[in-house]
């Protein structure tokens, strides 16, 4: 029996005893509270894939550039095992990476070297979550992020730190995306279909930028399946806009100090995030208290400048990002 599920049942019964049967039906049945059974692992397949196109605009319609494109894809299999469950406080999860695989094609069309994210395979860390899914302690996630960040550097003959491309930001973002919808509801007790709420989330991005670019995600509880459906599931949609304020909470995977980005990104500066547009859908299993799936897709528009002036050329970047998270049985 899942402890959180038991707690919800107790609360529901208490509400019914005081004569608020309708209130119990509209509140406790709709709570997006996470539920864990101690020692029972939960496995998710997580995929983040990104196509980045760089176009050199000149302001002269007669001069047409040939856009360059790079693709990146991170595939993860993450196992979350509750080792300590407290439905009234913090639950501790041991998180183990069973698979971390990155495929990438550079702007030159050649396959890049191995990604630091692949060193996560076989490693583990811990997370502490509240009953709503808010991550209350990220210290061990910071530790593993620092290990991954260190693995993304190599030294040149002159001693300059060279940072290879990596998808660490995608990994960190997906750990937060998984629990975020339920964790950011201001009042779980009064949640109804068509209610909306917002959250600020980081945007995965190949270039270290602090604070990282952020997006404002607006969630909507679109629907809840009929009571006759087993299990009952909630559909939560999301749409994105650029955040007006910088991210106030984020993890820095890399040691402070100067370094050079390997590849074309190493020659670009002054990134300006102009516009983001996209949407997503999450399916939350109300009976199990777990996310079943989460899909996101958006287009991000960015301008930049070259490290050294190249006439009147202005790099314009278009990022096509797709993220999917799916609970799988093992």
């Amino acid at each position: 029996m899942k402890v959180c599920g038991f707690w919800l049942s107790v609360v529901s019964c208490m509400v019914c005893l005081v004569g608020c049967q309708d209130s119990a039906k509209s509140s406790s049945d709709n709570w997006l509270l996470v539920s864990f059974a101690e020692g029972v692992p939960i496995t998710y397949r997580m995929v983040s894939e990104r196509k980045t196109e760089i176009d050199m605009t000149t302001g002269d319609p007669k001069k047409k550039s040939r856009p360059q494109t790079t693709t990146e894809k991170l595939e993860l299999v993450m196992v979350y095992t509750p080792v300590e469950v407290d439905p009234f406080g913090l639950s501790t999860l041991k998180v183990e990476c069973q698979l971390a695989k990155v495929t990438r094609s550079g702007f030159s069309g050649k396959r890049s070297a191995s990604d630091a994210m692949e060193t996560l395979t076989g490693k583990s860390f811990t997370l502490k979550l509240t009953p709503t899914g808010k991550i209350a302690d990220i210290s061990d996630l910071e530790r593993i992020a620092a290990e991954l960040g260190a693995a993304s550097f190599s030294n040149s003959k002159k001693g300059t730190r060279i940072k290879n491309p990596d998808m660490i930001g995608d990994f960190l973002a997906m750990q937060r995306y998984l629990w975020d919808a339920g964790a950011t509801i201001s009042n779980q007790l009064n949640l109804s279909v068509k209610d909306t709420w917002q959250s600020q989330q980081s945007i995965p991005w190949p270039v270290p930028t602090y604070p990282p670019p952020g997006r404002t995600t607006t969630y909507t509880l679109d629907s809840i399946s009929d009571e006759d459906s087993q299990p009952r599931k909630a559909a939560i949609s999301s749409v994105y806009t650029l955040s007006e304020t910088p991210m106030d909470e984020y993890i820095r995977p890399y040691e402070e100090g100067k370094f050079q980005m390997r590849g074309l990104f190493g020659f670009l500066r002054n990134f300006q995030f102009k516009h983001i547009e996209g949407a997503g859908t999450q399916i939350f299993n109300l009976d199990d208290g777990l996310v079943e799936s989460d899909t996101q897709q958006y287009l991000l528009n960015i301008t930049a400048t070259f490290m050294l002036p190249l006439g009147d050329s202005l790099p314009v970047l278009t990022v096509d990002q797709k993220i999917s998270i799916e609970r799988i049985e093992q």
Side-chain angles (χ1 to χ4, degrees):
M1 178 184 294
K2 294 192 175 182
V3 179
C4 284
F6 172 76
W7 176 56
L8 292 180
S9 299
V10 171
V11 173
S12 300
C13 291
M14 292 175 63
V15 174
C16 290
L17 288 175
V18 297
C20 297
Q21 185 173 359
D22 291 339
S23 175
K25 182 177 179 180
S26 63
S27 60
S28 64
D29 285 354
N30 297 352
W31 290 349
L32 304 181
L33 296 177
V34 296
S35 180
F36 301 116
E38 191 169 309
V40 178
I42 309 154
T43 305
Y44 287 95
R45 176 180 290 110
M46 301 176 165
V47 179
S48 178
E49 48 188 325
R50 176 170 49 249
K51 181 174 72 173
T52 303
E53 180 182 274
I54 297 184
D55 194 6
M56 310 300 178
T57 64
T58 63
D60 185 347
K62 296 181 180 180
K63 296 181 179 180
K64 294 184 178 181
S65 65
R66 179 177 297 176
Q68 299 186 61
T69 301
T70 182
T71 62
E72 303 171 280
K73 182 177 182 180
L74 169 65
E75 300 174 78
L76 295 170
V77 175
M78 306 294 296
V79 181
Y80 301 81
T81 303
V83 295
E84 184 177 344
V85 176
D86 183 353
F88 304 101
L90 300 181
S91 294
T92 302
L93 307 181
K94 178 185 177 182
V95 186
E96 181 181 2
C97 176
Q98 288 189 342
L99 172 69
K101 179 182 177 182
V102 176
T103 53
R104 174 183 289 108
S105 64
F107 291 106
S108 64
K110 297 179 180 179
R111 186 176 294 274
S112 302
S114 61
D115 191 295
M117 269 306 307
E118 294 185 338
T119 66
L120 184 64
T121 301
K123 293 184 178 180
S124 62
F125 57 93
T126 60
L127 290 175
K128 292 183 181 294
L129 269 65
T130 69
T132 63
K134 180 178 175 58
I135 300 178
D137 185 352
I138 61 171
S139 58
D140 209 33
L141 183 58
E142 290 177 317
R143 173 191 63 81
I144 205 73
E147 291 182 9
L148 296 171
S152 70
F153 284 89
S154 58
N155 294 323
S156 71
K157 294 181 180 180
K158 297 181 180 180
T160 303
R161 290 202 306 161
I162 304 296
K163 198 191 87 62
N164 297 309
D166 67 63
M167 299 189 74
I168 299 173
D170 300 72
F171 157 69
L172 294 174
M174 288 191 289
Q175 302 314 298
R176 293 182 179 271
Y177 292 164
L178 178 58
W179 321 103
D180 190 68
T184 51
I185 300 172
S186 60
N187 192 346
Q188 284 267 5
L189 299 182
N190 293 320
L191 185 63
S192 301
V193 172
K194 302 307 178 185
D195 280 353
T196 64
W197 64 98
Q198 290 187 329
S199 174
Q200 188 186 47
Q201 301 172 327
S202 63
I203 300 174
W205 172 241
V207 182
T209 306
Y210 300 109
R215 73 185 193 193
T216 298
T217 296
T218 300
Y219 292 110
T220 301
L221 179 58
D222 280 343
S223 64
I224 295 177
S225 59
D226 296 335
E227 290 192 8
D228 293 337
S229 302
Q230 296 295 329
R232 296 179 66 238
K233 297 181 180 181
I236 306 163
S237 63
S238 57
V239 294
Y240 321 119
T241 58
L242 283 179
S243 296
E244 296 181 358
T245 58
M247 293 288 299
D248 57 0
E249 183 180 340
Y250 53 89
I251 294 175
R252 293 183 70 123
Y254 317 105
E255 290 185 5
E256 295 187 20
K258 294 183 178 180
F259 59 84
Q260 176 70 33
M261 291 283 297
R262 188 182 299 279
L264 182 57
F265 282 115
F267 297 95
L268 301 180
R269 297 289 185 273
N270 303 320
F271 295 101
Q272 300 291 321
F273 299 89
K274 296 295 186 179
H275 182 71
I276 188 173
E277 183 174 3
T281 300
Q282 181 176 114
I283 303 300
F284 188 89
N285 188 316
L286 292 166
D287 291 345
D288 287 353
L290 296 171
V291 174
E292 290 286 328
S293 64
D294 191 299
T295 59
Q296 307 172 31
Q297 191 277 330
Y298 59 80
L299 291 176
L300 176 65
N301 301 115
I302 308 157
T303 61
T305 60
F306 285 107
M307 183 171 58
L308 298 175
L310 293 178
D312 58 353
S313 295
L314 177 67
V316 175
L317 295 81
T318 302
V319 178
D320 184 354
Q321 179 83 47
K322 295 181 177 67
I323 293 171
S324 65
I325 299 173
E326 179 186 10
R327 183 183 173 195
I328 59 175
E329 299 294 336
Q330 286 197 320

